[in-house]
Amino acid sequence: MTTLQNEAGRSASRRCADEAQTLLPLRWPEKPAFDWSTSLLANEAAGPNARLRTRTWLTIGHWHGNVDIAARVTDKLVDNAVKHGKISAPARIPLRMAVIPETHELMIEVDDASPDFPGFNEVAKQSGEVRGTPTGLWWVAHYRGRLSWDVKSVDGEAVGKTVQAILPVT
């Protein structure tokens, strides 16, 4: 695994299903092939809005992966933040995407104001096999993505969390 650094130059850690913490990228030493961010109004249309914007921007950015898969996962991450996370004023959900330079995988990050992720291990360790009606973050596993999260803090005080999905190109 390559050690990557955040904007302040420190190693970035994320909580993953396999370990308490695993290093995953926040920012890379070199500019990513594609980097995009926005914020979405936190309402029932946030997920579909994220899906539409993701399709558009990944097509413009010439990502070589499956744009429809990425759009669905983005929809689920944003929808999950609206339904299960806390929304801070103004009622918007930050969304960031970047293509990781070394692997060309797509990193999708969504923030909300809740510093907790109850049941994360069960969600992150789901099988990608269809059992019943697929819902929410199960889609990350189904598309062979990796799910992680970490607490967001400002001056040492927890102010929310970032949920991250990394999707393969194929």
Side-chain angles (χ1 to χ4, degrees):
M1 178 179 294
T2 304
T3 301
L4 300 170
Q5 298 178 340
N6 64 16
E7 294 172 57
R10 292 183 295 261
S11 294
S13 66
R14 293 279 194 234
R15 298 166 204 252
C16 287
D18 297 337
E19 304 173 13
Q21 292 196 351
T22 300
L23 294 177
L24 287 179
L26 282 180
R27 297 287 174 236
W28 300 272
E30 62 185 81
K31 181 161 176 52
F34 171 83
D35 190 354
W36 176 73
S37 65
T38 191
S39 69
L40 304 162
L41 189 60
N43 60 23
E44 65 280 347
N49 189 5
R51 184 183 286 226
L52 178 64
R53 290 181 183 207
T54 297
R55 276 195 186 110
T56 302
W57 283 104
L58 289 180
T59 300
I60 290 169
H62 302 289
W63 183 54
H64 295 109
N66 187 314
V67 172
D68 289 329
I69 287 172
R72 175 172 291 194
V73 169
T74 304
D75 173 343
K76 300 307 178 185
L77 286 172
V78 169
D79 189 58
N80 199 61
V82 170
K83 289 180 179 175
H84 304 291
K86 292 180 185 174
I87 307 302
S88 60
R92 301 196 68 83
I93 299 291
L95 166 64
R96 293 174 301 284
M97 290 189 286
V99 174
I100 300 170
E102 297 87 12
T103 63
H104 304 288
E105 294 171 304
L106 179 66
M107 179 194 72
I108 307 164
E109 291 186 331
V110 175
D111 298 340
D112 68 56
S114 174
D116 300 314
F117 195 141
F120 173 76
N121 285 337
E122 292 79 29
V123 171
K125 288 186 178 186
Q126 293 182 81
S127 164
E129 297 175 23
V130 178
R131 294 183 186 145
T133 303
T135 59
L137 298 180
W138 170 85
W139 290 99
V140 176
H142 180 68
Y143 294 128
R144 298 184 344 255
R146 298 184 312 274
L147 186 66
S148 58
W149 76 284
D150 201 4
V151 174
K152 285 183 63 95
S153 60
V154 174
D155 296 328
E157 182 179 339
V159 296
K161 71 176 169 289
T162 298
V163 177
Q164 180 187 82
I166 306 250
L167 296 178
V169 175
T170 58

